[in-house]
Amino acid sequence: MQTGKGKERVSCDLCGHAEYNFITKQTDLIHKTTDEIFEVVKCRKCGLIFTNPRPNKESIGRYYSDKYTFHKDKSLTKKVINHALNRLVNNSFIRSISPLFPGKINRILIQLLKPNIPDPVLVYLNQDITSQKEISFLDIGCGSGSNANFWGTASSLLSLCKTIKVIGIEISDDARNVLSSNNIKSYKTIDEISSLNKFDIIRLNWSLEHVHSPSKYFEFINSNLSKDGIAIICVPNNDGLIYKINKSCLELPIHLFHYDIRSLTKFAEKYQLTISEYKTFSYPAMYAFAEDISLIPQKYNFSKMSLNKAFEFMQTHMILDDIGFGNDLMVILRKKGKN
Ligand SMILES: [Zn+2]
């Protein structure tokens, strides 16, 4: 149902139920594209959490900030600097002397601090079973193909296109132009891909929370995943500690769905898929940013924290990550009966 001014009120995408309970409301505190208020609701029947009312397909574009970096291509210099800084933050000696660094330097280094989660695409490609045939990889929401978000460049389309068959799905025309200049085949939506076209790896890296109908993507995975293939889904985890501290840490209105392991499991079951692996993880930069915009109490003082202290914080957080309270969630899906 359209509610005027480019917004629509919707029923549950997972079970179709039209009744829901109010969870929270908030404006765009993160990208500051609007001061309109958006509500988040929970389906009374299946528990799916979603933004409702929400921007419709025609209006959603105006809530993406120009600074939204997802589609931007990094220059080679930036990539080299990033690589060098990544090595620095993982060096225990550098961490131990970090309290001596100026606050600004610590702040830059903390941005790069991440837990060591093996890249699921590379893990799959390194298995023996994949050595005999040509692997096909579909990256949904691939941006310009230069990086794989959390995992950096090693499993980007640009790197993988040298060894396996890759295709990208990307809504941004600019990003698709970059892909085609690198001879990477891409489409604007999954609708352009025939169900006869099977993929060994389908990846949705932080894209499923942005789509208007996740069901459509699960249905696509069900029909287009090869028999022994995997689908990798990474999304913000609504069970994450940061969302327990303050529900308003949600990225509204561009995140239309707010998943947890229960809702992803129900989606998987509905489309004859099983979750063969699941992991939650967190990194300190998210807390530092939430503190900057007053979404979490300033008493922890992330803005003045040394790299070393932030590293200790991340290590402690891993206990929570292990029991499902990490702020990001990764699941690996397989066809039923194949895990
Ligand atoms: Zn529902």
Side-chain angles (χ1 to χ4, degrees):
M1 184 176 77
Q2 300 295 321
T3 59
K5 281 196 269 173
K7 279 191 238 164
E8 61 184 2
R9 196 175 284 279
V10 291
S11 295
C12 177
D13 184 71
L14 173 54
C15 76
H17 199 66
E19 289 176 26
Y20 36 79
N21 293 331
F22 171 80
I23 298 280
T24 188
K25 62 179 176 184
Q26 184 233 92
T27 185
D28 180 6
L29 297 173
I30 295 174
H31 303 289
K32 300 194 168 40
T33 60
T34 177
D35 49 16
E36 290 165 74
I37 304 285
F38 292 90
E39 292 182 15
V40 174
V41 302
K42 183 176 188 172
C43 172
R44 277 197 200 166
K45 195 172 169 196
C46 75
L48 181 68
I49 298 172
F50 52 105
T51 306
N52 197 24
R54 66 184 192 183
N56 61 23
K57 282 186 181 169
E58 289 70 39
S59 73
I60 190 96
R62 69 173 186 248
Y63 300 100
Y64 280 86
S65 118
D66 294 340
K67 282 185 258 163
Y68 199 76
T69 54
F70 189 69
H71 302 296
K72 300 260 163 65
D73 205 10
K74 274 202 182 114
S75 72
L76 184 62
T77 324
K78 274 192 183 159
K79 278 182 200 159
V80 171
I81 292 171
N82 237 24
H83 183 72
L85 289 175
N86 271 316
R87 290 186 66 131
L88 270 187
V89 300
N90 288 312
N91 180 308
S92 60
F93 173 71
I94 296 293
R95 284 200 303 266
S96 72
I97 59 165
S98 65
L100 304 170
F101 302 162
K104 272 188 182 165
I105 300 289
N106 272 302
R107 192 59 201 266
I108 293 168
L109 295 176
I110 287 172
Q111 297 295 320
L112 298 163
L113 204 50
K114 286 174 187 169
N116 183 19
I117 310 287
D119 186 326
V121 172
L122 302 184
V123 171
Y124 184 85
L125 292 176
N126 288 330
Q127 288 171 359
D128 290 344
I129 52 147
T130 60
S131 55
Q132 295 112 26
K133 60 166 190 170
E134 195 192 18
I135 298 292
S136 60
F137 174 39
L138 181 73
D139 198 9
I140 301 178
C142 62
S144 54
S146 62
N147 78 81
N149 199 306
F150 180 85
W151 287 281
T153 56
S155 70
S156 69
L157 291 186
L158 209 50
S159 304
L160 290 179
C161 70
K162 294 164 196 154
T163 48
I164 61 172
K165 190 181 158 200
V166 305
I167 294 181
I169 300 291
E170 175 52 47
I171 192 95
S172 154
D173 296 333
D174 290 343
R176 276 204 327 286
N177 285 337
V178 177
L179 290 167
S180 82
S181 69
N182 286 307
N183 296 318
I184 295 170
K185 197 171 181 181
S186 68
Y187 300 99
K188 195 161 187 162
T189 74
I190 52 171
D191 301 335
E192 295 167 63
I193 294 189
S194 150
S195 61
L196 299 173
N197 203 346
K198 308 290 180 197
F199 298 93
D200 302 300
I201 311 170
I202 298 176
R203 177 170 71 185
L204 290 108
N205 259 358
W206 290 276
S207 51
L208 198 64
E209 67 274 25
H210 294 267
V211 305
H212 280 79
S213 175
S215 289
K216 205 176 107 176
Y217 291 78
F218 282 92
E219 197 177 358
F220 176 86
I221 293 170
N222 171 286
S223 64
N224 291 70
L225 191 65
S226 73
K227 162 167 88 63
D228 296 308
I230 58 164
I232 301 156
I233 295 178
C234 295
V235 286
N237 179 21
N238 203 57
D239 281 339
L241 178 67
I242 201 162
Y243 305 108
K244 305 252 180 238
I245 298 173
N246 186 353
K247 288 193 188 98
S248 292
C249 288
L250 299 174
E251 204 170 329
L252 296 182
I254 57 173
H255 288 184
L256 304 179
F257 291 87
H258 313 283
Y259 304 100
D260 50 41
I261 188 61
R262 296 171 297 285
S263 54
L264 290 181
T265 304
K266 284 177 187 164
F267 269 117
E269 278 170 5
K270 187 173 171 187
Y271 293 95
Q272 293 83 49
L273 299 161
T274 50
I275 293 179
S276 65
E277 196 185 329
Y278 124 79
K279 207 174 243 136
T280 82
F281 50 98
S282 310
Y283 35 94
M286 200 167 172
Y287 288 90
F289 181 67
E291 187 188 79
D292 278 351
I293 55 173
S294 305
L295 280 173
I296 61 168
Q298 305 211 319
K299 64 181 177 187
Y300 303 108
N301 233 339
F302 282 94
S303 57
K304 296 209 175 76
M305 204 176 258
S306 69
L307 176 65
N308 205 32
K309 271 269 173 272
F311 181 77
E312 285 170 13
F313 172 79
M314 187 174 79
Q315 297 290 98
T316 311
H317 210 300
M318 280 177 187
I319 300 165
L320 294 167
D321 296 347
D322 282 347
I323 55 171
F325 295 127
N327 298 319
D328 282 290
L329 170 60
M330 175 185 86
V331 295
I332 310 268
L333 303 169
R334 288 172 191 267
K335 291 257 198 187
K336 240 184 185 152
K338 278 290 165 190
N339 55 329

